[in-house]
Amino acid sequence: MQKENKKPDRGDLQQNLSEKFVWAIAYGSCIGWGSFILPGDWIQASGPIAASIGIFIGALLMIIIAVSYGALVERFPVSGGGFAFSFLGFGRYVSFFSSWFLTFGYICVVALNATAFSLLIKFLIPDFIEFGKLYTIAGWDVYITEILIASFLLLIFMFIAIKGASVSGTLQYYFCIAMVIVVVLMFIGSFFGTNFDLENLKPYNGPQYGWFQAIIMIVAVAPWAYVGFDNIPQTAEEFDFSPNKTFKLIVYSLVAAGATYVLMILYTGWLSSGGSDLWLTGSVTREAFGSIGLGVLAIAIIMGIFTGLNGFLLSSSRLLFSMGRSGIMPTVFSKLHPKYKTPYVAIIFLVALTLIAPWLGRTALTWIVDMSSTGVSIAYFVTCLAAARLFSFDKNSKTYGPVYKVFAIIGSIIAFIFLMLLLLPISPAALSLPSHIALAGWTILGLIFFFIRLPKLRKMDKEELTQLILDTNKKEVDRMIDE
């Protein structure tokens, strides 16, 4: 009997993430390099006004999904929230696959940010990067110099992540402040640019689509554009504040991210005269403000790359730590650094995986990253379903929450639609064939790993699992869900 009452060891993560650090982790992860690189693509497809409307609607839809995250974190402020919530709603098997895809989605973003840094250097000083060509993959020339730069950057952020969440959070906050300052200065400065003209915003909805399709094409990328707000629940065990503030921080981060995207779309739109440059934002900045303006823009992009690297490495390591702590993944991932109390084995493992990415070439990596959006959408869907199952319309229930229940149901529908927009071939945002192949490959790999671990998964005691994952006893969880 004494053994049953003994509480399992859940590790000793430090509670040193303040509200502003957590906001910065979410905001910086949402923005990354995307708001400075992608506006040109969106404008060429949907026009600046339709693209701005689409990205704004996307933020609103993400806020609806975020209600479930905020409500669940308030009740279960544990590390690896995405994994914990899928376990809460559907048990060990569904949580394994949901977290398998989510972890991969996160590390893909880490890898893409590292290679984006090499890409920026390539744009600014091509002679420096284009040295030591190794081979060509999918039309992309791979150079040893860009591999070394991306790898070095990944190793730097690995050491930052091992040093502790407070170090990562502090750096993230200052990276975000620098990024916000540059975005605001550039937006205001654009009114004085030599090529500024409101007529450049036409056609408002792009050259070939009606308003509805032009807007929907941008709304469909919302799960990818705003992935990062869900980094907040992954680090909940390290908050130094009340978890009931989680939803507020998520909303603030999404609103700030949406505003940044819209500002950069309008900036690019009214400085552009309808060009089809590979990097339109960079081209119009150089035309308006010369090399100095391009240098300032480069600072914002570098800050965005750093925030993406930092935020997703932090959250993916906590996700893997939580899975390792429960035994659903190998327990070695739950090992904490003796001095810094960070899951250093998980961090080293994830960085070792991402070090493969620079060798793949940018084109092949983009296929994989596009596929990873599916994993993020699955996590949104499963989390909202878990919240819908937990909360009740019954006033006598311990989990009475009609508003949470309604938002969870709506969030589930939205997440499912996002998933279908990616998977259905008729969708304007459907994955490419190479992305479907990458998705199939990762699914098969997951199935192999699942069946290898299945005997161990079956033997796990549900009481101990619940305590390790949710920091709550099984009877209490069963009572909440079954009422």
Side-chain angles (χ1 to χ4, degrees):
M1 193 71 177
Q2 193 176 357
K3 186 179 176 184
E4 285 180 13
N5 291 333
K6 186 181 177 184
K7 220 176 172 183
D9 181 21
R10 302 182 73 256
D12 186 26
L13 291 169
Q14 301 297 297
Q15 292 181 312
N16 51 15
L17 280 176
S18 68
E19 289 180 58
K20 66 180 183 181
F21 292 171
V22 169
W23 170 83
I25 286 167
Y27 167 67
S29 301
C30 285
I31 289 301
W33 52 270
S35 63
F36 310 105
I37 304 295
L38 296 176
D41 296 343
W42 294 341
I43 287 169
Q44 285 162 17
S46 297
I49 302 303
S52 298
I53 294 169
I55 209 72
F56 175 74
I57 292 171
L60 294 179
L61 296 177
M62 288 295 111
I63 288 172
I64 292 172
I65 290 172
V67 172
S68 295
Y69 279 90
L72 290 171
V73 170
E74 190 175 334
R75 284 155 182 77
F76 303 100
V78 294
S79 194
F83 165 62
F85 305 149
S86 58
F87 173 80
L88 169 72
F90 304 100
R92 65 193 78 180
Y93 303 125
V94 171
S95 67
F96 172 89
F97 282 105
S98 175
S99 303
W100 175 261
F101 283 105
L102 182 59
T103 306
F104 188 67
Y106 283 171
I107 62 173
C108 279
V109 179
V110 172
L112 194 68
N113 274 285
T115 59
F117 187 70
S118 294
L119 197 63
L120 177 64
I121 303 296
K122 193 173 187 174
F123 182 85
L124 297 174
I125 38 177
D127 294 339
F128 176 75
I129 284 285
E130 293 177 356
F131 172 78
K133 181 180 173 181
L134 299 177
Y135 44 79
T136 301
I137 294 184
W140 185 270
D141 295 333
V142 178
Y143 296 88
I144 187 64
T145 41
E146 63 181 322
I147 291 171
L148 291 173
I149 289 170
S151 301
F152 181 65
L153 193 64
L154 284 165
L155 291 173
I156 288 175
F157 277 93
M158 179 184 79
F159 287 113
I160 290 171
I162 290 172
K163 288 279 281 184
S166 62
V167 177
S168 298
T170 303
L171 285 172
Q172 189 85 350
Y173 180 70
Y174 289 114
F175 290 155
C176 285
I177 293 299
M179 189 161 55
V180 168
I181 290 170
V182 171
V183 168
V184 171
L185 287 177
M186 289 181 64
F187 183 76
I188 294 171
S190 69
F191 293 102
F192 306 97
T194 54
N195 46 338
F196 171 79
D197 190 343
L198 290 176
E199 286 295 310
N200 289 338
L201 295 176
K202 295 177 180 177
Y204 300 135
N205 56 330
Q208 60 184 117
Y209 298 116
W211 278 97
F212 179 76
Q213 189 170 356
I215 291 170
I216 288 297
M217 283 178 67
I218 306 302
V219 171
V221 304
W224 188 90
Y226 292 109
V227 61
F229 81 83
D230 49 319
N231 284 349
I232 290 182
Q234 315 306 341
T235 58
E237 213 164 306
E238 295 161 89
F239 292 173
D240 72 355
F241 55 90
S242 172
N244 63 13
K245 295 180 180 178
T246 301
F247 177 64
K248 175 187 74 174
L249 292 171
I250 291 176
V251 171
Y252 289 166
S253 67
L254 284 170
V255 169
T260 305
Y261 277 121
V262 169
L263 290 182
M264 290 310 300
I265 290 169
L266 294 175
Y267 166 93
T268 305
W270 56 46
L271 290 182
S272 163
S273 54
S276 57
D277 301 62
L278 184 63
W279 179 29
L280 191 58
T281 304
S283 299
V284 300
T285 300
R286 180 182 275 162
E287 187 181 342
F289 308 111
S291 299
I292 293 174
L294 198 59
V296 173
L297 177 61
I299 292 170
I301 298 169
I302 290 168
M303 293 300 101
I305 290 168
F306 287 178
T307 56
L309 274 169
N310 196 36
F312 283 103
L313 189 53
L314 186 70
S315 60
S316 59
S317 64
R318 271 42 177 191
L319 195 59
L320 198 53
F321 163 79
S322 182
M323 295 174 77
R325 178 169 61 185
S326 68
I328 283 180
M329 289 291 270
T331 53
V332 68
F333 293 131
S334 66
K335 285 190 71 172
L336 295 179
H337 193 282
K339 180 179 178 182
Y340 302 120
K341 301 299 181 186
T342 51
Y344 72 104
V345 175
I347 293 167
I348 292 169
F349 172 76
L350 290 166
V351 171
L353 277 181
T354 56
L355 284 170
I356 300 168
W359 297 84
L360 298 177
R362 184 76 177 179
T363 307
L365 183 62
T366 304
W367 294 336
I368 296 170
V369 171
D370 288 347
M371 173 274 289
S372 72
S373 301
T374 308
V376 176
S377 298
I378 289 170
Y380 294 160
F381 181 54
V382 172
T383 297
C384 289
L385 285 178
R389 190 173 176 208
L390 176 67
F391 292 104
S392 172
F393 290 126
D394 182 1
K395 287 186 178 180
N396 298 317
S397 170
K398 285 186 73 174
T399 53
Y400 173 67
V403 174
Y404 289 150
K405 182 91 169 179
V406 169
F407 272 94
I409 293 168
I410 296 171
S412 302
I413 295 168
I414 292 169
F416 181 75
I417 291 170
F418 279 136
L419 202 51
M420 291 302 100
L421 285 171
L422 290 167
L423 298 178
L424 291 177
I426 58 170
S427 163
L431 296 177
S432 63
L433 180 60
S435 295
H436 273 293
I437 293 169
L439 179 61
W442 187 248
T443 304
I444 291 167
L445 196 60
L447 285 168
I448 292 168
F449 194 74
F450 174 76
F451 284 114
I452 289 171
R453 292 198 64 80
L454 187 57
K456 189 172 180 66
L457 287 171
R458 281 176 173 159
K459 290 177 185 174
M460 288 176 181
D461 177 65
K462 192 165 184 184
E463 175 64 49
E464 187 177 8
L465 262 181
T466 305
Q467 194 73 59
L468 284 167
I469 297 170
L470 298 171
D471 198 21
T472 308
N473 65 67
K474 180 178 175 296
K475 285 183 180 176
E476 180 64 22
V477 172
D478 288 345
R479 189 158 55 242
M480 283 193 284
I481 290 179
D482 293 340
E483 278 181 335

